[in-house]
Amino acid sequence: MSIPVDEFSDLPLARLRQYWGYDSFRPLQREAINCAMQQRDSVVVLPTGAGKSLCYQVPALCTDRLAVVVSPLISLMKDQVDSLAASGISAASINSSMGEAEKRLVAEQIRRGELRLLYLAPERLVLESTIKFLQNARVAFFAIDEAHCISSWGHDFRPEYRQLNSLKTHFPDVSVHAFTATATPRVREDIAIELQLTNPQVLVGSFDRENLLYRVYRRTEVLAQLREVIDRYRQQSGIVYCISRKEVENVAETLNRCGYRALPYHAGLSNQDRSRNQDDFINDRVDIIVATVAFGMGIDKSNVRYVVHAGMPKSLEAYQQESGRAGRDGLQSECTLLFSGSDLILWKKMTDSSQPGAGALLDAMYSYCTRTSCRHRMLVEYFGQSLGKSNCNACDVCLEELPLLPDALVVAQKIISCVHRLEQRFGAHHVAQVLIGSKAKRILDLGHERLSTWALLSDHPASAVGTWIGQLVDQGFLVPSGEYSVLRITDLGRQVLRGETIPVLYQASVPQPRKSTECRDDWAGVDSGLFESLRALRRQVAEEKQIPPFVIFHDTSLREMARQRPSKVVSFGSIPGVGAKKLADYGVRFVESIIQYCSQHNLPLDQPGQTSHAFNDKGDSSGGSLTPTKVVSKVKLDAFAMFSQGLPIEEIAAKVGRAVSTTSGYLSQYIQEHRIMDPSPWVDPATAARIRSAVNQVGALERLGPIKELLGEDYSYLQIRVVVDCLRVEHFRDHRPIQ
Ligand code: ADP
Ligand code: MG
């Protein structure tokens, strides 16, 4: 099969608009679609929520043949088939939950050529009878979803996926397209080899999830820490992950006792309970699901606003997947991870040591928890990409939420001199033990209680000292070396001993009252009362139709409705996410409800929408160069216009009705986007010069805290931030970040 591509009519784009109501493709979707249309095998690696499904659904609609989608879970197939049906697309699955008669009906649809997409589990696809049937069914292509399951190097190996290696033998002329969110180069290669792909096109998107805010805390009081997050998202959906089933039960029960509605999910529950709880969550009947990792694969619920890990996951791959379940709709969402050293020990006990590389996966995960560099950066670098910006503005580190340790120099000197006294022959654990004044047998045996550095940090717990050692390693003052990771002092470390350089240390993480994340740009212009009322209408329609609410409309579409408030069915049709079928099915009802609400509440109808909702349509196959276009709110645009006139920040803040801190955040973006290197419109030259020299002294652009400390009271964070932002632009001029 080769699907004719008419150069003059853009069939995929027409299908996207007609069935999904979206205006443009997201990065790499177009390239992935072309592979399916041109029958070129492919491996597509895009993060959760990037829109992999469309990469095989759209080409399936550009042919009169059948696309076969392999998917690991019935729930996933069901959601996708429901969603497709709601958009007027003919799709079905055949799975073990169906009766014989039902299966026969699907088979007949296929024979008549009526079906565009068929979803199958891998074990069903490789049955001889299925293969025979499909060989006569004019298959357009195979799409393998969650393809990392085929690799034993991945984090979710499923033996039944391995059998897919016979696909190419049975269907030598049909192209195979693998899709996954998580793939290190090794897994990626494994997928291509196992599926016996021929010269596959490999498309790797950016792993950065810009709309997710990452935070990491040491676990101190789980319940209080959980509530801190949950309370900020009343009546919105969230997932709490725990390591063990018992913990799931405990946490769910405690939350319920505290007046929340939370349901448990783990492999120890009966199938019936599990699927009921999952259904209640998916259908917005309950807001919180407390679960083990058993929950989530194939859950396409788009409006999960937060994911909290009450314990450390077993790998960064798993973390990327699990946390990635937040904010699939592209709206801002947050991912908070609570960890403790005991999680590492627990996982080591639970992990199958025969799985290659399991220990290394765990270590990388633990280091993500204990390090204090930008979380977005750590995640993308782990997957072999670079972030391309100096400040993500969306993690606890870059938002400067981590409390600085006031006497960082002294603490660092104590630690480094202890390493020196120990003749650079011991690892972090031992160094910490000596510093806290441990009288453990090993310390006494070695006579280390007689060292001058023994008990120098006895006021602190070993875990805090361990964290600081990690931070010193991160910043290059110490370096672990050899098989036993003994700590050695670097040249930079010696400068600390001489007081020439001051490291930045953070207090061992404690929960912080944080800057409000409520006042966010993607709510700009949205009437929240109308949004809630549309949500209620959506729930009602969902109940009537027996499908999940997000299958009807995503939160993004509802917000846009509550922003634009269309009074005509035609204008309702231009809301992103409203395709032809949904317009016909729901247009009148939603528009009536909008008109009614607006007249009751005296709200103007037919307002302008967001400037740009779609992600840009450019992309290449080299990976890493794809950043979604930022949604620009009206407020921000107004502020930008005033920045260009050089008005003082305080005045602008008052005019746009935002806090000075928010406005200064806009200014940062303005400086970055317009690549401004001269801070003089906002900071007078003498002040700027003094700040610049302080930056030089501190030697790092990463953090404002130490610079402020050096400059003292006469210099505001606002001024420092402007100068540093300009310096960053200058700094990145030569190695321009990938945009
Ligand atoms: P993935 O499988 O990669 O995790 P999905 O295929 O479930 O992601 O898509 C995530 C969300 O993005 C879905 O709600 C989907 O409708 C939406 N989406 C996909 N492509 C586009 C697009 N081009 N424009 C707007 N939204 C899109
Ligand atoms: Mg998917």
Side-chain angles (χ1 to χ4, degrees):
M1 175 211 65
S2 186
I3 303 163
V5 188
D6 180 344
E7 283 179 19
F8 299 101
S9 77
D10 187 341
L11 196 54
L13 189 62
R15 294 289 186 257
L16 181 76
R17 291 187 169 148
Q18 176 188 356
Y19 289 99
W20 282 271
Y22 296 141
D23 265 349
S24 56
F25 285 111
R26 286 182 178 170
L28 295 185
Q29 283 183 326
R30 166 82 70 179
E31 290 77 355
I33 288 167
N34 285 344
C35 288
M37 309 252 307
Q38 292 157 11
Q39 282 213 289
R40 161 104 187 255
D41 288 351
S42 62
V43 178
V44 179
V45 188
L46 285 172
T48 312
K52 289 183 287 296
S53 326
L54 280 185
C55 300
Y56 52 80
Q57 291 168 342
V58 169
L61 291 174
C62 299
T63 157
D64 58 356
R65 291 179 170 238
L66 176 73
V68 177
V69 183
V70 176
S71 169
L73 296 174
I74 295 180
S75 63
L76 174 70
M77 301 184 205
K78 193 173 161 302
D79 274 358
Q80 293 228 346
V81 171
D82 281 351
S83 281
L84 291 167
S87 300
I89 298 164
S90 156
S93 74
I94 297 184
N95 61 60
S96 54
S97 74
M98 297 163 67
E100 284 309 313
E102 223 181 328
K103 288 183 199 162
R104 255 199 310 278
L105 269 178
V106 175
E108 271 156 31
Q109 271 185 303
I110 296 173
R111 272 193 213 101
R112 289 198 300 268
E114 286 169 11
L115 211 62
R116 292 285 70 81
L117 291 120
L118 174 69
Y119 285 78
L120 292 174
E123 56 274 30
R124 181 170 300 273
L125 172 55
V126 297
L127 290 178
E128 213 182 301
S129 53
T130 315
I131 293 199
K132 281 229 171 75
F133 176 78
L134 288 178
Q135 278 168 338
N136 295 313
R138 303 192 345 124
V139 173
F141 58 83
F142 290 98
I144 318 289
D145 209 1
E146 313 289 354
H148 58 274
C149 293
I150 204 168
S151 168
S152 56
W153 290 102
H155 59 96
D156 191 18
F157 173 56
R158 291 174 179 243
E160 62 274 19
Y161 259 72
R162 269 287 153 87
Q163 297 168 286
L164 294 172
N165 60 8
S166 64
L167 215 50
K168 277 283 178 186
T169 321
H170 297 301
F171 300 90
D173 300 327
V174 182
S175 62
V176 174
H177 309 277
F179 297 87
T180 179
T182 346
T184 47
R186 172 165 224 166
V187 175
R188 223 179 283 161
E189 233 167 72
D190 225 17
I191 292 174
I193 294 169
E194 286 295 330
L195 288 172
Q196 308 194 13
L197 303 185
T198 321
N199 182 25
Q201 170 86 284
V202 179
L203 300 166
V204 184
S206 164
F207 282 100
D208 188 35
R209 294 284 310 275
E210 284 202 332
N211 64 319
L212 300 187
L213 198 153
Y214 297 105
R215 294 189 170 104
V216 180
Y217 299 110
R218 219 167 253 285
R219 195 168 58 240
T220 48
E221 248 187 281
V222 183
L223 183 63
Q225 290 175 303
L226 280 177
R227 290 179 70 163
E228 196 282 316
V229 179
I230 296 173
D231 285 345
R232 282 183 287 116
Y233 293 93
R234 285 275 168 175
Q235 293 179 6
Q236 305 204 53
S237 300
I239 306 174
V240 176
Y241 277 109
C242 301
I243 299 180
S244 70
R245 296 175 188 181
K246 201 164 135 250
E247 259 178 291
V248 166
E249 294 289 346
N250 286 344
V251 170
E253 204 188 298
T254 317
L255 285 175
N256 282 309
R257 243 188 293 120
C258 296
Y260 302 90
R261 285 260 298 125
L263 289 174
Y265 187 103
H266 57 71
L269 295 174
S270 70
N271 278 346
Q272 204 185 358
D273 284 351
R274 250 199 341 250
S275 62
R276 196 191 48 232
N277 292 357
Q278 172 173 318
D279 268 9
D280 282 353
F281 179 66
I282 287 179
N283 291 299
D284 289 352
R285 288 191 287 268
V286 64
D287 294 329
I288 309 167
I289 192 126
V290 185
T292 58
V293 294
F295 179 81
M297 151 100 81
I299 303 285
D300 278 356
K301 185 173 166 66
S302 64
N303 59 343
V304 174
R305 292 278 72 88
Y306 63 89
V307 172
V308 183
H309 279 77
M312 184 185 84
K314 66 174 172 180
S315 67
L316 278 172
E317 279 90 342
Y319 188 60
Q320 174 90 354
Q321 285 249 337
E322 288 153 25
S323 63
R325 290 182 183 126
R328 272 171 178 268
D329 50 15
L331 296 174
Q332 273 154 344
S333 308
E334 72 179 75
C335 308
T336 296
L337 197 166
L338 307 176
F339 81 104
S340 133
S342 61
D343 296 345
L344 182 67
I345 298 166
L346 184 67
W347 275 121
K348 285 204 162 145
K349 267 194 225 145
M350 280 164 54
T351 308
D352 177 5
S353 52
S354 65
Q355 205 202 329
L361 294 179
L362 267 176
D363 290 340
M365 184 66 238
Y366 192 68
S367 130
Y368 173 86
C369 295
T370 47
R371 285 176 56 183
T372 41
S373 16
C374 167
R375 313 276 174 208
H376 281 265
R377 179 185 312 285
M378 283 194 274
L379 283 169
V380 299
E381 287 182 353
Y382 180 75
F383 293 106
Q385 299 181 340
S386 53
L387 191 62
K389 54 185 165 192
S390 57
N391 185 315
C392 74
N393 260 317
C395 76
D396 50 355
V397 179
C398 291
L399 290 172
E400 312 204 336
E401 291 177 350
L402 299 184
L404 284 174
L405 191 68
D407 45 356
L409 179 62
V410 178
V411 169
Q413 285 176 332
K414 287 178 180 174
I415 292 173
I416 298 173
S417 46
C418 187
V419 173
H420 175 69
R421 294 272 170 246
L422 287 166
E423 296 172 348
Q424 309 188 59
R425 286 175 43 219
F426 292 85
H429 176 75
H430 191 81
V431 174
Q433 289 298 313
V434 171
L435 281 161
I436 62 157
S438 158
K439 288 186 183 150
K441 183 166 180 309
R442 186 164 150 76
I443 303 273
L444 302 179
D445 284 352
L446 292 162
H448 286 170
E449 81 285 7
R450 293 195 300 274
L451 291 177
S452 59
T453 50
W454 184 80
L456 270 186
L457 291 172
S458 58
D459 295 346
H460 303 279
S463 60
V465 178
T467 302
W468 294 324
I469 294 175
Q471 293 171 7
L472 291 173
V473 169
D474 262 357
Q475 296 169 52
F477 298 106
L478 293 173
V479 56
S481 69
E483 195 185 340
Y484 299 104
S485 294
V486 300
L487 291 175
R488 296 201 196 286
I489 304 168
T490 63
D491 286 343
L492 212 56
R494 276 180 263 283
Q495 289 180 19
V496 174
L497 286 179
R498 295 194 295 268
E500 291 164 7
T501 300
I502 308 176
V504 182
L505 295 182
Y506 303 94
Q507 292 175 19
S509 317
V510 284
Q512 283 286 298
R514 62 182 51 106
K515 299 167 189 171
S516 166
T517 47
E518 291 308 308
C519 173
R520 294 178 304 213
D521 283 347
D522 50 16
W523 281 102
V526 177
D527 184 87
S528 52
L530 176 55
F531 175 73
E532 284 309 323
S533 116
L534 292 172
R535 238 160 68 105
L537 174 61
R538 177 177 66 178
R539 206 160 30 234
Q540 191 186 333
V541 177
E543 294 282 336
E544 288 165 18
K545 299 228 161 196
Q546 296 277 301
I547 48 175
F550 64 86
V551 165
I552 297 174
F553 288 124
H554 288 170
D555 279 13
T556 16
S557 302
L558 292 195
R559 282 198 201 177
E560 203 50 36
M561 291 172 204
R563 180 181 284 121
Q564 295 188 24
R565 304 162 216 152
S567 68
K568 308 246 165 12
V569 175
V570 254
S571 45
F572 185 80
S574 64
I575 300 277
V578 182
K581 173 130 176 42
K582 290 189 180 177
L583 182 65
D585 285 353
Y586 314 118
V588 172
R589 206 159 160 189
F590 274 75
V591 168
E592 274 175 1
S593 158
I594 291 169
I595 295 176
Q596 194 189 4
Y597 184 95
C598 289
S599 78
Q600 277 167 3
H601 295 82
N602 232 342
L603 274 177
L605 289 159
D606 301 311
Q607 298 299 299
Q610 286 273 46
T611 326
S612 158
H613 236 288
F615 286 10
N616 61 27
D617 190 14
K618 296 190 199 79
D620 65 20
S621 50
S622 60
S625 62
L626 307 156
T627 326
T629 310
K630 271 253 163 82
V631 174
V632 184
S633 75
K634 170 138 185 357
V635 176
K636 197 156 89 182
L637 283 179
D638 287 349
F640 274 27
M642 289 186 249
F643 292 139
S644 67
Q645 293 159 15
L647 294 180
I649 301 173
E650 290 83 356
E651 193 179 325
I652 298 176
K655 283 199 165 138
V656 298
R658 290 282 154 99
V660 173
S661 58
T662 310
T663 315
S664 113
Y666 291 157
L667 180 56
S668 283
Q669 289 174 31
Y670 178 79
I671 290 173
Q672 205 176 355
E673 280 172 27
H674 291 78
R675 318 210 71 72
I676 294 170
M677 288 175 234
D678 170 19
S680 64
W682 305 282
V683 181
D684 71 80
T687 308
R690 175 72 194 97
I691 296 174
R692 248 186 247 115
S693 88
V695 171
N696 280 339
Q697 242 171 302
V698 169
L701 279 173
E702 262 44 68
R703 321 211 42 87
L704 304 188
I707 304 169
K708 166 89 173 121
E709 212 172 301
L710 206 68
L711 287 163
E713 287 307 300
D714 294 344
Y715 297 79
S716 71
Y717 266 113
L718 210 73
Q719 293 169 321
I720 299 173
R721 188 163 177 175
V722 170
V723 175
V724 166
D725 284 335
C726 291
L727 280 172
R728 278 181 185 147
V729 172
E730 208 172 309
H731 184 75
F732 277 94
R733 185 181 38 183
D734 302 327
H735 12 117
R736 231 187 106 96
I738 313 159
Q739 292 274 326

